[in-house]
Amino acid sequence: GESVGLHLPTLSVQEGDNSIINCAYSNSASDYFIWYKQESGKGPQFIIDIRSNMDKRQGQRVTVLLNKTVKHLSLQIAATQPGDSAVYFCAELFSGGYNKLIFGAGTRLAVHP
Amino acid sequence: DAGVIQSPRHEVTEMGQEVTLRCKPISGHNSLFWYRQTMMRGLELLIYFNNNVPIDDSGMPEDRFSAKMPNASFSTLKIQPSEPRDSAVYFCASSLAGVDEKLFFGSGTQLSVL
């Protein structure tokens, strides 16, 4: 069988609180970043993206912040709801030979009533 | 739009058998991607097609894996012969044009090789 695998970090929040999920990326030349949400038994779902010429981008209840200096990306979810419970992945567009979207390991968000 | 459609949803097979996974991308999307997801390695890109042509297959683990895209609305990922270590969830995704557009994922095929 499979040996022990990745242990996803978990962020536990109370319903109604704001959530911040962090991600460190690897390539300083990456110029496109995306956040995906994956619910149990489903494929990843696009949430929001940001290009490297921006520091911040806002969507509905979500904000992505990009700090190129320290190669850090964060996803902020306002007024977190039970339906936000999922695994969240950041992805960077890695430019090395062929452009390739590289996904991070993911963070599990658990929302408690 | 129905989104990206994958079949089968679940596949259980015995070691050594051939496995074929199928994908129908979103109509009008020019790029198609096959990803594999495991607890050990997370989401890995296997192969990427643009306009039905394989662009990057560097993620295909070995010769047992092959992928085809005979037309803009259909792609297959074949494993022959399958091994227990191939057990994973296989996702197909499509985008309008290339990797720097948002990807739309299917629901995946859960493959178990016994």
Side-chain angles (χ1 to χ4, degrees), chain A residues 38-106:
Chain A
Q38 187 175 23
E39 297 174 278
S40 181
K42 297 183 179 180
Q45 178 185 8
F46 173 91
I47 302 174
I48 192 168
D49 59 0
I50 189 169
R51 298 198 182 266
S52 60
N53 60 351
M54 301 174 70
D55 297 323
K56 178 179 179 179
R57 190 163 188 220
Q58 288 185 289
Q60 188 177 17
R61 282 202 306 119
V62 295
T63 301
V64 56
L65 299 177
L66 175 62
N67 186 331
K68 296 181 286 292
T69 303
V70 295
K71 292 189 287 186
H72 183 267
L73 197 64
S74 68
L75 177 71
Q76 300 178 0
I77 304 173
T80 313
Q81 302 168 0
D84 295 327
S85 294
V87 177
Y88 289 80
F89 294 94
C90 66
E92 65 177 300
L93 185 63
F94 183 82
S95 303
Y98 298 111
N99 285 350
K100 185 177 295 191
L101 204 58
I102 304 295
F103 283 79

Side-chain angles (χ1 to χ4, degrees), chain A residues 2-6 32 36 38 41-44 46 49 51 89 93 98-101 103, chain B residues 9 35 37-43 45 55-56 58 91 99-103 105-107:
Chain A
E2 209 169 63
S3 57
V4 175
L6 294 170
Y32 180 56
Y36 283 88
Q38 187 175 23
K42 297 183 179 180
F46 173 91
D49 59 0
R51 298 198 182 266
F89 294 94
L93 185 63
Y98 298 111
N99 285 350
K100 185 177 295 191
L101 204 58
F103 283 79
Chain B
R9 193 78 172 87
Y35 279 86
Q37 186 175 40
T38 62
M39 284 300 294
M40 283 290 291
R41 301 173 68 91
L43 269 164
L45 177 66
I55 301 300
D56 178 7
S58 60
F91 287 104
V99 296
D100 58 348
E101 298 276 344
K102 62 172 124 175
L103 269 59
F105 284 79
S107 297

Side-chain angles (χ1 to χ4, degrees), chain B residues 70-87:
Chain B
N71 57 63
S73 59
F74 184 66
S75 177
T76 59
L77 178 67
K78 186 174 293 186
I79 309 172
Q80 166 65 17
S82 58
E83 296 182 2
R85 61 192 167 120
D86 301 330
S87 298

Side-chain angles (χ1 to χ4, degrees), chain B residues 50-75:
Chain B
N50 197 47
N51 292 321
N52 312 338
V53 176
I55 301 300
D56 178 7
D57 65 354
S58 60
M60 294 288 263
E62 48 200 90
D63 291 346
R64 297 184 298 106
F65 284 68
S66 63
K68 293 182 180 179
M69 192 164 186
N71 57 63
S73 59
F74 184 66
S75 177

